[in-house]
Amino acid sequence: MDNFLKNLNKSQLESTLHKDGPMIIIAGAGSGKTRVLTYKISYLMTEGIDPFNILALTFTNKAAREMKDRVGQIVGEEARNLWMGTFHSVFARILRIEAHKIGFTSNFTIYDTDDSQKLISRIVKELNLDKDNYKYKLMFSRISSMKNNFISAENYFNNEEMLLADKISNRPSFNQIYSEYVNRCFKAGAMDFDDLLLKTNELLTKYPETLAKYQNIFKYILVDEYQDTNHSQYLIIKALSDKFQNICVVGDDAQSIYSFRGANINNILNFQRDFPDSKIFRLEQNYRSTKNIVNAANSLIENNQKRLKKNVWTENESGQKISVNKLLTDGEEGRFVASSIYESKMQNQLINSDFAILYRTNAQSRSFEDALRKKNIPYRVYGGLSFYQRKEIKDVIAYLRLLVNDNDEQAFKRIINFPIRGIGQTTLNKISIESKKNNVSDYNFIKNFLKSTKILNSSTKNKLSDFLVMIESLKLKINSFNIFEITKEVLRQSGLYNLYKNDESLEGVNRIQNIEELLNGIKDFVDNDEVNDKSVSSFLQNIALATDQDNNENDSNKVSLMTIHLAKGLEFPYVYIVGLEENLFPSAMNLNSRNELEEERRLFYVALTRAEKKVFLSYVLSRYRWGKLVDSEKSRFINEINKEFIQNNINQKFNNILHLEKSSFNKVGIRYKKPENRPPKNFVKIKRYSGNSNLFGHKLCIGNIVLHERFGKGEVKSIEGNGENRKAEIIFEKFGSKKLLLRFSKLKIIS
C-alpha cells in the first residue's frame, strides 16, 4: 500500500481505494472529505491514470488550490496537469477552446454580477420602463433563474403562462429586457456567470463530437460539495460521465444551504437513482468538534425529513455544553458577545482569530461591531466589497478588458470618458444609436466610421480619435508585453495613475494604494511558475471567476464576523451564533414550505458544526426593526436540540437588571416615587421584559434618578407628551440637559 494512505481511517481508505464505476461519498461535517478527495486523486495517478484524464470540480478557487497543492506534495509536478478548478473556471477554459462553434471568439469577456446589473439598469432606462417596477437586481435574478432552468428569451416569449404572470405582477416587459440583455451580451462578446454553464450545456448538446471529445478526455470525474450543484451543473456532469461512468461525488445533504442560488438538494439525494450501480461510502467520524457539539447537531438535523442516513460521531473529548443566552435587546446581545470574547481571551490565553460571530443576515453585524470597537477587540467583517469590486480597480480592469475585446460594451462605457476627456453623455447616445444602425459595437463604430460620420462635430471627433489612438497603440503591445507591463502602460497613457496620485484626500491615497496592490498581484501572477498562460485574457478570467470564499482567508489576528452562508467550509475554536429568534432565524421569508424550513435548519446545522470547542447561542426578547422596538420569540431550533447537550444561561447584567427592577416593585407590581398609596401627577410607564417575556411596569416621575447606557446618571426634570410620543427632560451629570423619547431611551431607574 502506498505510504500516504496509512493516514486514512477505515472508511476513508475504502472510499479512496474504490477506483472504477460511480460512487457517492456522504461526508459528515469535519470528517476529512478534502483529505479523501486529495488522496483519491493521488491514488488514481499512482495507479497509472494520466492526470490529463482526471477532472476535479470544486466550488471555490481556494479549495482547488489547496487540493492541487496537497496532490503535488504526494505525486510531484504531474499534479499541474490535472483538470482541477471551480465549475466556472473549468467550463470557461473549455469554452475558450470551443467558443467559435457557438458564435464567440476565444477572447470573450466574462461579466461579473456588477457588469450584468449595470447593463440591465441601462436597458431598463433605454426602454423607458419604470425602474421601481423593473428593479435591475430583481431583473438580473429573474434572468439568472431562467438561464439555469434552460428557458431562453425565445422560449420565454412563447410561454403564455409566464407572460401572463408578468402581466399580473405589472412587469409585462420582462421578456423584452431579457431578450435585449442576451443580444447585448452576444454583441459585446461577453458571457455572464450563468452563460458559462448554459453555453457549456449548449455546446455539449448541439455538438455530439465535442461531447465525445471531452468524455474521452475526462475518464475520471470527481465533484466536491455535490449537494450544492444546480440543475445546469448536474446536466454537464451527467453528460461528461456518461461514457465511462467513473464518477465520484462527495457531499453532505445536511449542509445543502444554497437553494437561493439554484442549488438542488435532489441531485445528491437521487444520485443512486441516476447511477443504479453506484457504491455508497459514509465518512461519519468527526475530527473537528467535541462530543457535545456533534451530538447537539445530530439531534437538531434529525428533525429534517429529507436526509440521507448517516451517524456522525467523534472520539474527541466531551467538551462544554452549548451555552444558550437570553438577552434584552440586540444592543445588549452585542455587548454580551464582546464581553464574553474579552473574558475568554483573558482567562484562557486565546487570540482574536479563535472566535467567530455568525449571523443570518449581514445587517446584524452593526451591534457586534459597535461592541467590539468599545472593547478594542480587532475584527473583520466578511462579505463586504471585495478588492476587485472597488471602483479604481474596476477602472483599470475595464481598460484591459477593452484591449482584448473591443466589443465589450460595459468596459467601453466605463472608460470612454474616464479620466474626463470631454466626451459627454449626448455624444455617447449618438454613438449608440449609430452603432446599432450599423450593427457594430460602439468602439468599432468609432474605429470604422468616425471620419465619415456627420453626427459629431470636429472637436468631439478629435477627442474620440485621441482615445482610439491610445487604445489601438496599447493593443499592439499585447503580444510583446506581459500583463504587468501592459497594465503599467495603461495606467500611464490613460492618466489614471496621475489622477489618483494627485488626489491627496484620504480616499485618493487609499485608491492609489489599491492600484499599487493590483500591480503587486499582477506581478505575482506573472512570476508564478504554476501559471502557464500569462496573457491579459488569462489574468482577466482568473479574477473574474474569483469566488466569495477566496477572499475569506483569515491572515490576521481578528475576530471573524460573517453570515452563516459564508462560514461554510470554515472552522473556529469558539463560535457565537446570534439572533436565534423566530422570523430572523429561521427567516420569515423561508417559512412557507417544509423544504424552506428544512433548509433553514440545515443552515443552523452548518453553523453549529463550524465550532471546534465551544458554541454560544443567543437570542433577544426585543429587537429594533425600522426604529421600533419589537418583541421577539426564541427560535424553534433551540428547542430542537436535545436538552442533554445545552446549558441555559441568563447574562449576569440581565440578571442584575431583573433584580433591580423586581426589588423596586410592591406586591402588585407598581413602584411609586412617593410613599403615599397613589401615583404622582406626572409619570410614564416604561415597559421592560422579565425572564419569561411577561411585561411589567415602571413609573417614571419627576425627581427620579435614572441611568442611561450612553449618557450615564441623570435626574428627571420634566415629562411631556402622550403614548409613544412621551418625552422626558433629563439633566445628566456629564452631558447636561437632554430631551429623550422614552420608548427608545432604555432608562433604568436608580431611585
Side-chain angles (χ1 to χ4, degrees):
M1 184 187 297
D2 293 278
N3 189 48
F4 66 89
L5 297 177
K6 69 180 182 181
N7 298 319
L8 301 176
N9 66 33
K10 183 181 177 182
S11 299
Q12 292 172 335
L13 183 62
E14 287 176 352
S15 55
T16 298
L17 295 179
H18 184 83
K19 182 181 172 187
D20 296 320
M23 61 182 289
I24 178 172
I25 302 174
I26 302 171
S31 62
K33 72 175 178 63
T34 304
R35 171 180 284 191
V36 169
L37 272 174
T38 302
Y39 283 17
K40 189 169 186 63
I41 293 168
S42 302
Y43 175 71
L44 289 173
M45 291 174 65
T46 59
E47 286 290 294
I49 306 301
D50 192 324
F52 284 103
N53 295 137
I54 299 174
L55 169 64
L57 296 168
T58 68
F59 274 85
T60 69
N61 291 309
K62 178 187 174 188
R65 283 196 305 270
E66 288 179 352
M67 284 173 59
K68 188 172 277 192
D69 287 345
R70 291 190 196 181
V71 173
Q73 290 168 12
I74 298 171
V75 301
E77 286 295 305
E78 278 292 294
R80 296 174 63 175
N81 299 325
L82 289 163
W83 281 74
M84 181 182 285
T86 65
F87 285 87
H88 291 92
S89 65
V90 170
F91 298 155
R93 181 178 168 187
I94 292 172
L95 287 169
R96 296 249 182 241
I97 299 169
E98 312 290 346
H100 62 281
K101 293 179 181 174
I102 53 174
F104 284 82
T105 68
S106 60
N107 282 335
F108 63 82
T109 299
I110 299 174
Y111 279 178
D112 63 17
T113 300
D114 185 57
D115 293 321
S116 296
Q117 290 182 349
K118 282 183 176 174
L119 176 55
I120 292 169
S121 178
R122 187 174 293 119
I123 290 169
V124 169
K125 187 176 181 181
E126 290 172 2
L127 294 175
N128 293 315
L129 299 173
D130 185 341
K131 66 180 181 181
D132 291 326
N133 281 348
Y134 296 92
K135 293 177 178 173
Y136 66 89
K137 288 185 179 180
L138 176 61
M139 296 300 100
F140 170 73
S141 179
R142 290 280 309 281
I143 290 171
S144 176
S145 177
M146 294 302 113
K147 287 184 176 182
N148 282 317
N149 285 287
F150 300 101
I151 302 172
S152 67
E154 185 180 352
N155 291 338
Y156 194 94
F157 184 77
N158 294 322
N159 190 312
E160 292 184 6
E161 188 177 336
M162 288 182 173
L163 295 176
L164 179 61
D166 284 339
K167 203 169 185 178
I168 293 170
S169 61
N170 201 26
R171 285 190 286 267
S173 297
F174 169 72
N175 182 61
Q176 198 176 354
I177 296 170
Y178 186 10
S179 180
E180 183 65 13
Y181 173 75
V182 170
N183 292 336
R184 295 274 278 272
C185 285
F186 183 74
K187 180 181 168 184
M191 296 188 199
D192 61 22
F193 281 7
D194 297 312
D195 285 328
L196 296 176
L197 303 179
L198 184 68
K199 300 298 182 186
T200 301
N201 265 306
E202 181 183 326
L203 188 70
L204 300 179
T205 304
K206 289 186 177 179
Y207 300 92
E209 72 281 4
T210 304
L211 173 60
K213 170 185 173 181
Y214 288 99
Q215 283 178 335
N216 287 322
I217 291 174
F218 303 137
K219 292 177 180 174
Y220 287 85
I221 299 174
L222 301 96
V223 185
D224 191 16
E225 305 286 10
Y226 191 63
Q227 77 279 351
D228 293 333
T229 53
N230 62 27
H231 186 57
S232 193
Q233 291 162 331
Y234 162 81
L235 290 176
I236 296 170
I237 295 163
K238 189 86 165 53
L240 290 174
S241 63
D242 196 46
K243 182 175 181 179
F244 294 101
Q245 300 233 334
N246 294 325
I247 179 169
C248 169
V249 302
V250 183
D252 181 5
D253 58 294
Q255 297 186 65
S256 178
I257 59 174
Y258 292 115
S259 67
F260 66 95
R261 291 182 185 171
N264 187 349
I265 192 174
N266 291 318
N267 292 348
I268 192 168
L269 295 177
N270 297 333
F271 181 82
Q272 289 179 288
R273 187 193 68 186
D274 292 333
F275 297 91
D277 297 329
S278 61
K279 300 284 186 183
I280 185 167
F281 299 86
R282 291 181 173 84
L283 305 183
E284 297 174 312
Q285 183 175 357
N286 180 297
Y287 290 94
R288 177 187 300 153
S289 308
T290 64
K291 284 187 175 72
N292 266 310
I293 294 171
V294 169
N295 292 335
N298 286 345
S299 69
L300 169 85
I301 206 64
E302 283 173 2
N303 290 278
N304 272 11
Q305 294 179 8
K306 263 191 174 182
R307 57 193 179 92
L308 295 170
K309 182 184 176 184
K310 63 178 175 297
N311 178 38
V312 181
W313 57 278
T314 184
E315 289 182 345
N316 293 341
E317 62 180 0
S318 295
Q320 300 178 60
K321 290 187 176 183
I322 291 176
S323 169
V324 178
N325 301 275
K326 174 167 57 177
L327 290 310
L328 283 170
T329 65
D330 44 352
E332 187 76 23
E333 184 180 38
R335 290 186 289 278
F336 157 70
V337 170
S339 296
S340 175
I341 291 173
Y342 182 84
E343 289 167 10
S344 294
K345 282 174 57 183
M346 295 301 103
Q347 292 173 7
N348 303 307
Q349 289 76 52
L350 303 172
I351 58 176
N352 295 315
S353 56
D354 287 335
F355 300 91
I357 303 171
L358 308 183
Y359 34 75
R360 182 65 181 82
T361 65
N362 275 309
Q364 290 171 255
S365 73
R366 182 201 54 78
S367 63
F368 303 101
E369 291 186 67
D370 290 347
L372 291 169
R373 277 198 302 269
K374 288 176 182 175
K375 290 281 186 184
N376 292 318
I377 299 174
Y379 65 88
R380 179 179 175 186
V381 180
Y382 291 82
L385 198 63
S386 72
F387 180 79
Y388 290 106
Q389 291 298 319
R390 292 168 183 165
K391 180 192 180 303
E392 58 276 14
I393 303 303
K394 295 207 75 169
D395 291 337
V396 180
I397 298 302
Y399 274 93
L400 296 175
R401 278 170 43 175
L402 195 65
L403 297 186
V404 297
N405 175 13
D406 56 25
N407 289 323
D408 189 333
E409 178 185 352
Q410 291 298 100
F412 172 80
K413 283 183 166 27
R414 185 177 190 98
I415 66 174
I416 180 62
N417 195 39
F418 191 81
I420 293 171
R421 300 182 176 90
I423 302 169
Q425 191 59 47
T426 302
T427 298
L428 294 178
N429 290 342
K430 290 178 181 178
I431 292 171
S432 291
I433 292 169
E434 292 301 308
S435 65
K436 285 179 182 176
K437 287 181 183 177
N438 291 279
N439 197 30
V440 294
S441 67
D442 289 358
Y443 181 85
N444 277 292
F445 172 79
I446 297 171
K447 184 176 179 180
N448 299 311
F449 297 94
L450 184 60
K451 291 182 180 178
S452 61
T453 186
K454 296 179 180 178
I455 63 167
L456 303 171
N457 61 41
S458 58
S459 174
T460 302
K461 284 184 177 182
N462 288 337
K463 293 168 185 173
L464 290 168
S465 179
D466 290 343
F467 175 77
L468 184 68
V469 169
M470 176 186 66
I471 297 298
E472 290 298 311
S473 67
L474 287 167
K475 285 166 72 175
L476 291 173
K477 297 176 180 177
I478 280 186
N479 294 327
S480 55
F481 284 38
N482 64 37
I483 173 67
F484 180 72
E485 294 165 332
I486 285 286
T487 306
K488 286 201 298 183
E489 281 296 297
V490 163
L491 287 166
R492 184 181 66 80
Q493 292 192 38
S494 68
L496 279 174
Y497 188 82
N498 285 337
L499 174 72
Y500 291 128
K501 188 71 174 175
N502 295 331
D503 182 355
E504 296 181 358
S505 68
L506 181 60
E507 186 178 33
V509 171
N510 287 336
R511 283 181 167 162
I512 202 66
Q513 287 175 346
N514 287 336
I515 286 175
E516 288 173 355
E517 184 58 34
L518 173 66
L519 286 171
N520 293 339
I522 292 174
K523 191 68 168 66
D524 185 57
F525 176 82
V526 170
D527 293 342
N528 189 342
D529 292 336
E530 294 186 7
V531 176
N532 297 319
D533 183 356
K534 304 184 189 232
S535 66
V536 177
S537 294
S538 175
F539 175 76
L540 291 175
Q541 175 172 307
N542 189 54
I543 62 172
L545 296 174
T547 61
D548 291 341
Q549 268 202 357
D550 296 322
N551 299 313
N552 283 353
E553 297 180 47
N554 196 357
D555 55 358
S556 58
N557 183 24
K558 296 179 180 178
V559 175
S560 297
L561 279 72
M562 66 184 79
T563 64
I564 301 164
H565 283 101
L566 275 181
K568 189 168 176 291
L570 305 178
E571 56 187 37
F572 304 90
Y574 299 86
V575 171
Y576 293 79
I577 308 171
V578 299
L580 275 161
E581 297 131 41
E582 286 294 305
N583 298 323
L584 182 55
F585 195 11
S587 167
M589 293 187 292
N590 292 328
L591 294 176
N592 301 311
S593 68
R594 179 169 296 281
N595 286 341
E596 290 178 346
L597 176 60
E598 291 202 350
E599 176 150 333
E600 287 288 300
R601 189 178 286 113
R602 291 195 295 269
L603 189 60
F604 186 36
Y605 176 86
V606 167
L608 285 171
T609 54
R610 297 313 91 202
E612 297 170 355
K613 296 182 178 179
K614 175 74 174 174
V615 175
F616 299 82
L617 309 180
S618 62
Y619 66 96
V620 303
L621 298 178
S622 55
R623 184 175 293 276
Y624 278 100
R625 303 261 173 97
W626 301 103
K628 289 189 176 181
L629 203 58
V630 178
D631 292 357
S632 301
E633 179 186 351
K634 180 171 71 171
S635 171
R636 69 188 76 185
F637 294 154
I638 295 176
N639 294 328
E640 289 176 356
I641 299 174
N642 190 315
K643 290 180 172 53
E644 179 185 348
F645 310 118
I646 65 175
Q647 176 182 339
N648 286 291
N649 299 317
I650 297 181
N651 176 250
Q652 189 58 46
K653 186 173 181 181
F654 182 87
N655 246 337
N656 293 341
I657 293 170
L658 286 182
H659 178 74
L660 174 67
E661 290 175 339
K662 288 178 179 177
S663 66
S664 300
F665 280 63
N666 63 16
K667 290 182 181 179
V668 294
I670 300 174
R671 178 193 182 281
Y672 298 120
K673 170 69 176 168
K674 297 182 181 180
E676 57 265 29
N677 194 23
R678 60 180 177 79
K681 187 175 181 180
N682 292 314
F683 71 88
V684 64
K685 189 174 185 179
I686 301 177
K687 291 182 178 178
R688 292 280 191 238
Y689 298 97
S690 68
N692 60 9
S693 298
N694 293 325
L695 294 175
F696 60 95
H698 263 315
K699 305 289 179 165
L700 183 71
C701 62
I702 295 171
N704 274 136
I705 303 299
V706 295
L707 187 65
H708 187 274
E709 61 181 15
R710 179 181 173 191
F711 301 127
K713 190 183 293 186
E715 181 180 350
V716 178
K717 284 299 179 186
S718 65
I719 299 171
E720 61 185 44
N722 298 303
E724 290 190 343
N725 297 319
R726 187 66 62 95
K727 298 177 183 177
E729 181 186 9
I730 303 172
I731 308 296
F732 291 99
E733 292 178 353
K734 294 183 179 179
F735 292 89
S737 177
K738 300 282 182 186
K739 274 196 174 183
L740 303 178
L741 197 61
L742 291 175
R743 64 190 174 105
F744 293 140
S745 61
K746 301 184 187 177
L747 294 174
K748 285 193 292 184
I749 298 175
I750 298 174
S751 63

